[in-house]
Amino acid sequence: MIIVMRPEATKKDIDFVVKKLTDYGFKTHLSEGVERTIIGAIGDERTLRDKPLSSLPGVEKVVPILKPYKLVSKDFKKEPTVINIKGVKIGGKHIAVMAGPCSVESRELLFEVAESIYKSGARILRGGAFKPRTSPYSFQGLGEEGLKYLREVADHYGMLVITELLDPRDLDLVAKYADILQIGARNMSNFRLLKEVGKAKIPVMLKRGMCATIKEFLMAAEYIASEGNYDIILCERGIRSFDTETRNILDLAAVPVIKNVSHLPIIVDPSHGTGRRDCILPMAQAAIAAGADGLMIEVHPRPSEALSDGDQSILPENFDVLMRRVRVIAATIEKHLEE
């Protein structure tokens, strides 16, 4: 349940309510809005039924949250969450674009890609140093060497780094180089991993599982938030279907649906969502028009030579066209590209 404090409630009032809830065995989470502070109480609400919470100093009302996801719901926080990472904002009126090769193949390639996408306006460099591949014989990534390249190249251009974390044992290593930890679709239900990144207090981008419902997607985000990390970016990357014309079915309806029930920002990955180079530009445009807070795009100067996912990587010149069109669409819905 949530405890809504009065606008005039003091810090002393809030601390007193938090202590009471803690004494009752509840985990508490604060959401400080423009006018009010909301205290989320996580635990068995039956133990609070006979407790006079409404009479505590500074309390305006006590409201049960009926949804199974509590902390990521709009019941807990009405205003859209805006995540600010070194001046780059994601959420609200801000559209952020993450771009780069599927996997870090070499230092030279990364510099080549980063130079072009930076000129086009991207401010977050993506690339996999550890790659989860369907086949154990496929390229698995460069590991720490790839992380070092990402950090070096991003720092050179003043960009952020997002890269995938596969194993909780690698958390400290990846966090040493990355600004945003990516949890891939295969790990959306890896609850131990979710709890660990929740404790790490580093911004996290959570991808929707290939067969996950929207409710399951938000419950996975709840695992991260329940450990105290609210800097969560959701990513719609397509769900599995019977159709074989595209790699996945990109569920753009998930964007407005999630925005209606959650305060978290949500971006769209049309590269994985379609698996087809010719679909990326139109689906990226549609994603922004649907209200997405950003995009994740795979870019490679020579897709036919890519060590992974070349079929869904666009050329730098096509990425430049995409960015120009995104700016126009963003302006029509009163948003702007983070540059």
Side-chain angles (χ1 to χ4, degrees):
M1 62 177 56
I2 59 173
I3 292 86
V4 182
M5 303 300 290
R6 295 194 187 102
E8 67 272 14
T10 64
K11 185 179 183 304
K12 185 178 178 182
D13 294 335
I14 295 167
D15 290 344
F16 182 79
V17 174
V18 167
K19 185 177 184 308
K20 277 289 185 184
L21 291 168
T22 304
D23 290 344
Y24 294 146
F26 279 71
K27 236 186 207 182
T28 60
H29 300 266
L30 293 184
S31 173
E32 297 180 0
V34 178
E35 296 182 0
R36 289 174 172 78
T37 293
I38 292 175
I39 304 172
I42 308 300
D44 185 354
E45 66 179 65
R46 290 173 298 180
T47 63
L48 294 179
R49 286 175 183 167
D50 59 346
K51 303 294 189 297
L53 295 179
S54 298
S55 63
L56 294 178
V59 172
E60 181 177 287
K61 59 182 176 180
V62 179
V63 183
I65 300 179
L66 301 179
K67 297 182 180 69
Y69 43 89
K70 314 293 184 183
L71 301 174
V72 305
S73 75
K74 273 194 168 178
D75 292 333
F76 178 63
K77 185 174 183 285
K78 296 292 183 186
E79 305 87 3
T81 289
V82 178
I83 301 171
N84 188 334
I85 311 168
K86 298 179 181 177
V88 177
K89 296 176 181 176
I90 307 169
K93 297 294 183 181
H94 312 272
I95 293 175
V97 177
M98 309 169 182
C102 176
S103 59
V104 180
E105 300 174 15
S106 70
R107 180 176 179 272
E108 293 71 28
L109 175 84
L110 208 54
F111 265 108
E112 183 180 356
V113 174
E115 181 180 15
S116 65
I117 64 172
Y118 183 81
K119 286 179 180 177
S120 297
R123 291 298 175 262
I124 305 173
L125 178 63
R126 62 143 294 152
F130 298 93
K131 294 301 298 177
R133 307 303 300 279
T134 303
S135 169
Y137 308 112
S138 299
F139 178 61
Q140 304 290 312
L142 297 178
E144 186 172 8
E145 183 183 6
L147 292 172
K148 289 178 179 177
Y149 293 158
L150 280 167
R151 188 72 270 164
E152 178 191 1
V153 174
D155 287 344
H156 180 81
Y157 290 104
M159 302 176 76
L160 302 179
V161 168
I162 179 169
T163 193
E164 187 167 359
L165 174 68
L166 300 178
D167 192 314
R169 292 170 295 184
D170 295 325
L171 176 56
D172 291 340
L173 174 64
V174 177
K176 180 180 173 183
Y177 299 98
D179 300 295
I180 306 171
L181 301 175
Q182 175 181 317
I183 304 299
R186 290 177 176 86
N187 272 321
M188 191 208 80
S189 297
N190 185 340
F191 302 123
R192 181 183 173 191
L193 182 61
L194 299 181
K195 289 170 78 72
E196 289 301 315
V197 298
K199 294 172 186 174
K201 307 298 190 291
I202 298 170
V204 178
M205 188 190 76
L206 176 67
K207 284 197 164 189
R208 182 180 180 181
M210 291 175 278
C211 300
T213 64
I214 289 174
K215 178 181 173 183
E216 289 165 342
F217 188 22
L218 291 171
M219 287 303 294
E222 187 79 5
Y223 264 91
I224 299 170
S226 68
E227 296 296 332
N229 188 352
Y230 305 126
D231 287 340
I232 305 166
I233 306 155
L234 301 174
C235 180
E236 167 56 45
R237 48 81 65 205
I239 50 178
R240 211 165 245 177
S241 169
F242 54 84
D243 203 318
T244 58
E245 290 301 309
T246 55
R247 181 175 178 177
N248 296 292
I249 296 296
L250 188 58
D251 183 12
L252 291 184
V255 174
V257 169
I258 286 175
K259 282 189 165 291
N260 191 46
V261 296
S262 175
H263 57 86
L264 296 179
I266 177 168
I267 71 166
V268 171
D269 178 354
S271 300
H272 280 92
T274 65
R276 290 179 48 158
R277 192 177 300 120
D278 60 331
C279 292
I280 293 172
L281 177 57
M283 296 310 285
Q285 295 172 163
I288 298 302
D293 298 299
L295 297 166
M296 175 171 261
I297 308 290
E298 291 189 2
V299 181
H300 198 291
R302 293 167 292 282
S304 62
E305 300 174 13
L307 296 180
S308 58
D309 289 345
D311 289 342
Q312 62 188 45
S313 299
I314 61 174
L315 295 167
E317 52 264 38
N318 297 134
F319 179 73
D320 190 63
V321 172
L322 183 153
M323 291 294 280
R324 283 190 273 115
R325 292 188 182 179
V326 163
R327 286 188 188 91
V328 174
I329 296 170
T332 66
I333 55 174
E334 301 180 336
K335 288 192 173 190
H336 62 272
L337 208 62
E338 279 294 285
E339 296 183 285

